[in-house]
Amino acid sequence: MSRSAILGSSLTKKYWMALTGLFLCLFLIAHLAGNLQLLDMSPEGQLKFNAYAKFMTTFPLVKAASYLLYFSILFHAFDGILIAIQNRKARPVRYAKENAGANRSWASSNMALLGTLVLVFLVIHMKHFWFEMHWGDIGTDADGNKDLYTVVAAAFGQSWYVALYVVMMAVLAFHLLHGFQSAFQSLGINHPRYTPMIKNVGVFFAVVVPVLFALIPVWMFVHRA
Amino acid sequence: MKLKLKIWRQNGPSDKGRMETYPVNDVSEDMSFLEMLDVLNDQLVRDGKDPIAFDHDCREGICGACSLFINGEAHGPGRGITTCQLHMRKFKDGDTIYVEPWRSAAFPVIKDLATNRGAFDRIQAAGGFVSVNTSGNLVDGNAVPIPKDDADKAFDAATCIGCGACVATCPNGSAMLFTAAKVSQLSLLPQGKPERKRRALAMVEQMDKEGFGNCSNTGACEVECPKNISLEHIARLNREYLAATVTKE
């Protein structure tokens, strides 16, 4: 394929934005499914979670998927920044008065801001858990697995940390609120029968996934030892 | 009605420009917005001042010449109308109204509220046509059967008057709705199908070259379009361009 097939035109940039975005949505489901195990704070639950964490960082197929995931996150961010810069250049003089609320949702015109916040959150989030799991000195549990559970429980025992997660999940919700359905439109999927369905699923996804994610730190804070 | 107008004044393309305030009295609510500006210009000319430059032509909503970003919206408040179809009854006595030109790097200001929308002409010229061999074997268009649904959709796309409200409204300054309407109109019809791939590629390339922004599906264009052109056409352009890019030799 030619250069234009990668990032050459405004449309190919959108295709990649949509494809990586939808892949990240799939990842959110997998990540959430795994992390909901944290709601079981019994000693057996802790061992189970640590075994799961070990599996996720060592099983070859999951490892391969994780490299695709890192690439998708970076590419989605890079593509998004490129789009935002070009869009800013497309309107060098701003309007003195702009009634944005009349024709578009707040989320749809603030995707770059929301995305940047999510990216900053990801750096903090990965530093605390992903980095610690891979290279940190975190000790082992009764089964000899790295004790990630204790690291998570310690982090979510701090009120400011829980608050940060809850706020950031709200940010993610707004990003998904526009992003989910927008990805389908970018890929040319717009049909009078299916588009209303896609939009409804998008709203459901954008609300339920971040709420469940936010539930984990809140739950662990409330039930902290 | 008495109104306070805050209008963008700019002497020429290289002038920096600024908002200026003009009071207008004796505005009838039956006037169109352009007629109200005519009244203001009459007053300015009588006072020996420079009248405000703005685009207008047919004044019946079909030419696409009139523009104006009024109170933060393309063609002002109201849906499915151009500025010439906007009446002063939409405003209240004593209102302050902001009037600005289309803001886009691709639509440079000529003077005051008049912008150069030549970028649209160049997108159209890049592929928005059907090359027909007219050397004696021309087939009557009505002899080619076209499904009613396709004909209707093509007609909906063809109602685009190229006013530029989509670009002006879009927070990204994207020209996707215009380009999509032009591509859709032809790709839906048998006469336009032979050149559909070349057309999609060429028109998007020209659109990007003109410095328009990237579509992010905010949907603002569809809301403000005076001809209610649907986002379905943008999705169609996305499909056309994807197919053309992937199969290009």
Side-chain angles (χ1 to χ4, degrees), chain B residues 2-24:
Chain B
K2 284 185 180 179
L3 298 167
K4 195 161 90 177
L5 297 174
K6 287 188 175 286
I7 299 180
W8 181 260
R9 299 304 306 262
Q10 186 172 338
N11 294 329
S14 54
D15 182 27
K16 212 168 158 267
R18 69 255 152 232
M19 297 298 286
E20 282 187 14
T21 308
Y22 299 92
V24 208

Short mmCIF file of all heavy atoms in Angstrom, two decimals, chain B residues 2-24:
data_model
loop_
_atom_site.label_atom_id
_atom_site.label_comp_id
_atom_site.label_asym_id
_atom_site.label_seq_id
_atom_site.Cartn_x
_atom_site.Cartn_y
_atom_site.Cartn_z
N LYS B 2 -35.01 47.58 17.75
CA LYS B 2 -33.68 48.19 17.84
C LYS B 2 -32.68 47.09 18.17
O LYS B 2 -32.94 46.28 19.06
CB LYS B 2 -33.65 49.24 18.96
CG LYS B 2 -34.32 50.54 18.59
CD LYS B 2 -34.13 51.54 19.70
CE LYS B 2 -34.81 52.85 19.33
NZ LYS B 2 -34.69 53.86 20.36
N LEU B 3 -31.57 47.09 17.45
CA LEU B 3 -30.59 46.04 17.66
C LEU B 3 -29.19 46.62 17.82
O LEU B 3 -28.91 47.72 17.34
CB LEU B 3 -30.57 45.06 16.47
CG LEU B 3 -31.85 44.29 16.18
CD1 LEU B 3 -31.77 43.64 14.82
CD2 LEU B 3 -32.11 43.26 17.27
N LYS B 4 -28.34 45.85 18.50
CA LYS B 4 -26.93 46.20 18.55
C LYS B 4 -26.16 45.11 17.81
O LYS B 4 -26.24 43.94 18.20
CB LYS B 4 -26.46 46.30 20.01
CG LYS B 4 -25.11 47.01 20.14
CD LYS B 4 -24.88 47.50 21.56
CE LYS B 4 -24.18 46.44 22.38
NZ LYS B 4 -23.83 46.82 23.74
N LEU B 5 -25.47 45.49 16.74
CA LEU B 5 -24.74 44.50 15.96
C LEU B 5 -23.26 44.58 16.24
O LEU B 5 -22.68 45.67 16.25
CB LEU B 5 -24.97 44.73 14.46
CG LEU B 5 -26.40 44.57 13.96
CD1 LEU B 5 -26.50 44.98 12.49
CD2 LEU B 5 -26.87 43.15 14.12
N LYS B 6 -22.66 43.44 16.49
CA LYS B 6 -21.20 43.38 16.62
C LYS B 6 -20.70 42.67 15.37
O LYS B 6 -20.92 41.46 15.21
CB LYS B 6 -20.80 42.62 17.89
CG LYS B 6 -21.08 43.44 19.15
CD LYS B 6 -20.51 42.76 20.38
CE LYS B 6 -20.65 43.61 21.63
NZ LYS B 6 -19.73 44.74 21.69
N ILE B 7 -20.07 43.42 14.49
CA ILE B 7 -19.73 42.90 13.17
C ILE B 7 -18.22 42.90 12.94
O ILE B 7 -17.52 43.83 13.33
CB ILE B 7 -20.42 43.75 12.07
CG1 ILE B 7 -21.94 43.66 12.25
CG2 ILE B 7 -20.02 43.29 10.67
CD1 ILE B 7 -22.74 44.44 11.24
N TRP B 8 -17.75 41.83 12.30
CA TRP B 8 -16.32 41.71 11.97
C TRP B 8 -16.00 42.63 10.80
O TRP B 8 -16.61 42.54 9.75
CB TRP B 8 -15.99 40.27 11.61
CG TRP B 8 -14.54 40.06 11.29
CD1 TRP B 8 -13.97 39.97 10.06
CD2 TRP B 8 -13.46 39.92 12.23
NE1 TRP B 8 -12.62 39.79 10.16
CE2 TRP B 8 -12.27 39.75 11.48
CE3 TRP B 8 -13.39 39.92 13.62
CZ2 TRP B 8 -11.02 39.57 12.09
CZ3 TRP B 8 -12.15 39.75 14.21
CH2 TRP B 8 -10.99 39.58 13.45
N ARG B 9 -15.04 43.54 11.02
CA ARG B 9 -14.58 44.41 9.93
C ARG B 9 -13.12 44.08 9.62
O ARG B 9 -12.29 43.98 10.52
CB ARG B 9 -14.69 45.90 10.31
CG ARG B 9 -16.08 46.40 10.64
CD ARG B 9 -17.10 46.18 9.55
NE ARG B 9 -16.77 46.68 8.22
CZ ARG B 9 -17.20 47.85 7.72
NH1 ARG B 9 -17.95 48.65 8.45
NH2 ARG B 9 -16.88 48.21 6.49
N GLN B 10 -12.84 43.92 8.36
CA GLN B 10 -11.48 43.61 7.92
C GLN B 10 -11.30 44.24 6.54
O GLN B 10 -12.03 43.91 5.60
CB GLN B 10 -11.31 42.07 7.87
CG GLN B 10 -9.90 41.62 7.57
CD GLN B 10 -9.73 40.10 7.73
OE1 GLN B 10 -10.49 39.43 8.43
NE2 GLN B 10 -8.73 39.55 7.05
N ASN B 11 -10.29 45.13 6.43
CA ASN B 11 -10.14 45.89 5.19
C ASN B 11 -9.72 45.04 4.00
O ASN B 11 -10.03 45.37 2.86
CB ASN B 11 -9.14 47.02 5.39
CG ASN B 11 -9.68 48.05 6.37
OD1 ASN B 11 -10.90 48.24 6.45
ND2 ASN B 11 -8.80 48.67 7.15
N GLY B 12 -9.00 43.99 4.25
CA GLY B 12 -8.55 43.14 3.15
C GLY B 12 -7.95 41.87 3.69
O GLY B 12 -7.87 41.68 4.91
N PRO B 13 -7.52 40.96 2.81
CA PRO B 13 -6.99 39.67 3.26
C PRO B 13 -5.83 39.80 4.26
O PRO B 13 -5.69 38.97 5.15
CB PRO B 13 -6.49 39.02 1.97
CG PRO B 13 -7.23 39.69 0.88
CD PRO B 13 -7.51 41.08 1.34
N SER B 14 -5.00 40.86 4.11
CA SER B 14 -3.83 40.95 4.99
C SER B 14 -4.10 41.77 6.25
O SER B 14 -3.28 41.78 7.17
CB SER B 14 -2.66 41.56 4.21
OG SER B 14 -3.06 42.78 3.64
N ASP B 15 -5.28 42.41 6.30
CA ASP B 15 -5.62 43.20 7.50
C ASP B 15 -5.92 42.24 8.66
O ASP B 15 -6.40 41.13 8.46
CB ASP B 15 -6.85 44.07 7.20
CG ASP B 15 -7.23 44.93 8.38
OD1 ASP B 15 -6.33 45.26 9.20
OD2 ASP B 15 -8.42 45.28 8.51
N LYS B 16 -5.62 42.70 9.88
CA LYS B 16 -5.83 41.84 11.05
C LYS B 16 -7.31 41.68 11.38
O LYS B 16 -7.74 40.61 11.79
CB LYS B 16 -5.08 42.43 12.25
CG LYS B 16 -4.58 41.38 13.19
CD LYS B 16 -3.59 41.94 14.20
CE LYS B 16 -3.54 41.02 15.42
NZ LYS B 16 -4.43 41.38 16.49
N GLY B 17 -8.07 42.76 11.19
CA GLY B 17 -9.50 42.70 11.45
C GLY B 17 -9.86 42.89 12.90
O GLY B 17 -9.03 42.68 13.78
N ARG B 18 -11.13 43.30 13.17
CA ARG B 18 -11.60 43.50 14.54
C ARG B 18 -13.14 43.54 14.54
O ARG B 18 -13.76 43.75 13.50
CB ARG B 18 -11.06 44.81 15.13
CG ARG B 18 -11.61 46.10 14.54
CD ARG B 18 -10.59 46.78 13.61
NE ARG B 18 -11.28 47.58 12.57
CZ ARG B 18 -11.06 47.48 11.26
NH1 ARG B 18 -10.20 46.63 10.77
NH2 ARG B 18 -11.73 48.21 10.41
N MET B 19 -13.72 43.32 15.72
CA MET B 19 -15.17 43.42 15.87
C MET B 19 -15.53 44.88 16.10
O MET B 19 -14.88 45.56 16.89
CB MET B 19 -15.66 42.59 17.05
CG MET B 19 -15.43 41.09 16.97
SD MET B 19 -16.27 40.25 15.62
CE MET B 19 -17.97 40.23 16.19
N GLU B 20 -16.57 45.38 15.40
CA GLU B 20 -17.05 46.74 15.64
C GLU B 20 -18.54 46.70 15.96
O GLU B 20 -19.26 45.81 15.51
CB GLU B 20 -16.76 47.62 14.42
CG GLU B 20 -15.30 48.03 14.38
CD GLU B 20 -14.98 49.04 13.28
OE1 GLU B 20 -15.93 49.63 12.72
OE2 GLU B 20 -13.79 49.21 13.00
N THR B 21 -18.96 47.69 16.74
CA THR B 21 -20.36 47.71 17.18
C THR B 21 -21.17 48.73 16.40
O THR B 21 -20.71 49.87 16.22
CB THR B 21 -20.42 48.01 18.69
OG1 THR B 21 -19.54 47.09 19.36
CG2 THR B 21 -21.81 47.86 19.24
N TYR B 22 -22.34 48.33 15.92
CA TYR B 22 -23.22 49.23 15.18
C TYR B 22 -24.64 49.13 15.74
O TYR B 22 -25.20 48.03 15.78
CB TYR B 22 -23.27 48.85 13.70
CG TYR B 22 -21.94 48.92 13.00
CD1 TYR B 22 -21.12 47.79 12.92
CD2 TYR B 22 -21.50 50.10 12.40
CE1 TYR B 22 -19.89 47.84 12.28
CE2 TYR B 22 -20.27 50.16 11.75
CZ TYR B 22 -19.47 49.02 11.70
OH TYR B 22 -18.26 49.07 11.06
N PRO B 23 -25.22 50.26 16.13
CA PRO B 23 -26.64 50.22 16.49
C PRO B 23 -27.48 50.32 15.22
O PRO B 23 -27.11 51.03 14.29
CB PRO B 23 -26.80 51.47 17.35
CG PRO B 23 -25.67 52.38 16.97
CD PRO B 23 -24.60 51.58 16.30
N VAL B 24 -28.56 49.54 15.16
CA VAL B 24 -29.49 49.67 14.03
C VAL B 24 -30.89 49.86 14.59
O VAL B 24 -31.34 49.08 15.42
CB VAL B 24 -29.53 48.41 13.12
CG1 VAL B 24 -29.92 48.78 11.70
CG2 VAL B 24 -28.24 47.64 13.15
#
